[in-house]
Amino acid sequence: MNSVHLQKFPEVDYLCNINIIESMDAVRKICNTVLFLRKENNIKVKMPLAELIVHGKNFKLDESYFNIILDEVNVKNIVIVQDIEQIAKPILKINLQIIVRTIYFVA
């Protein structure tokens, strides 16, 4: 048997795998975001969360990928929300310190 290093790479049809690649990119982004938020809020991964709400207009992810997310970030349930107003409302908050500094540097 020849060495693995001397073998040719297998040919792969990338066109049929593009959906898998895009789906796994979405899974990776979701997991990275959740893990970042856990770290910022000092919530360890070993502590399970009851629910993860994912917002995105036209966001579609096959439910077969949900188990990967559930296992990776230790969440019990995933909810996909299309309309942001179902979970949040916009609030305008003005930071006067930044406005004053901006005016000072522009003038």
Side-chain angles (χ1 to χ4, degrees):
M1 179 173 232
N2 292 337
S3 172
V4 175
H5 303 289
L6 300 175
Q7 299 295 320
K8 292 183 179 180
F9 280 105
E11 293 185 20
V12 179
D13 184 13
Y14 290 106
L15 297 177
C16 68
N17 293 331
I18 196 77
N19 291 336
I20 296 171
I21 293 170
E22 289 176 355
S23 297
M24 285 307 295
D25 281 344
V27 167
R28 184 178 43 80
K29 287 177 185 177
I30 291 169
C31 290
N32 285 342
T33 303
V34 173
L35 294 174
F36 172 78
L37 291 172
R38 277 181 169 270
K39 187 175 181 180
E40 286 293 310
N41 292 296
N42 294 323
I43 303 173
K44 295 185 179 186
V45 178
K46 63 183 176 182
M47 297 178 65
L49 298 176
E51 189 173 73
L52 171 64
I53 300 174
V54 179
H55 166 261
K57 290 184 179 179
N58 303 324
F59 180 79
K60 294 176 184 171
L61 185 64
D62 190 38
E63 290 188 15
S64 61
Y65 293 99
F66 285 7
N67 288 334
I68 297 171
I69 299 170
L70 293 174
D71 290 341
E72 188 69 26
V73 298
N74 198 8
V75 176
K76 295 183 179 182
N77 188 26
I78 296 176
V79 177
I80 305 295
V81 176
Q82 300 290 328
D83 187 17
I84 191 72
E85 292 180 1
Q86 292 177 352
I87 57 172
K89 61 181 179 179
I91 296 176
L92 177 63
K93 189 173 183 182
I94 298 172
N95 189 340
L96 291 176
Q97 292 177 343
I98 294 175
I99 292 174
V100 170
R101 276 190 243 141
T102 306
I103 294 172
Y104 176 74
F105 286 122
V106 172

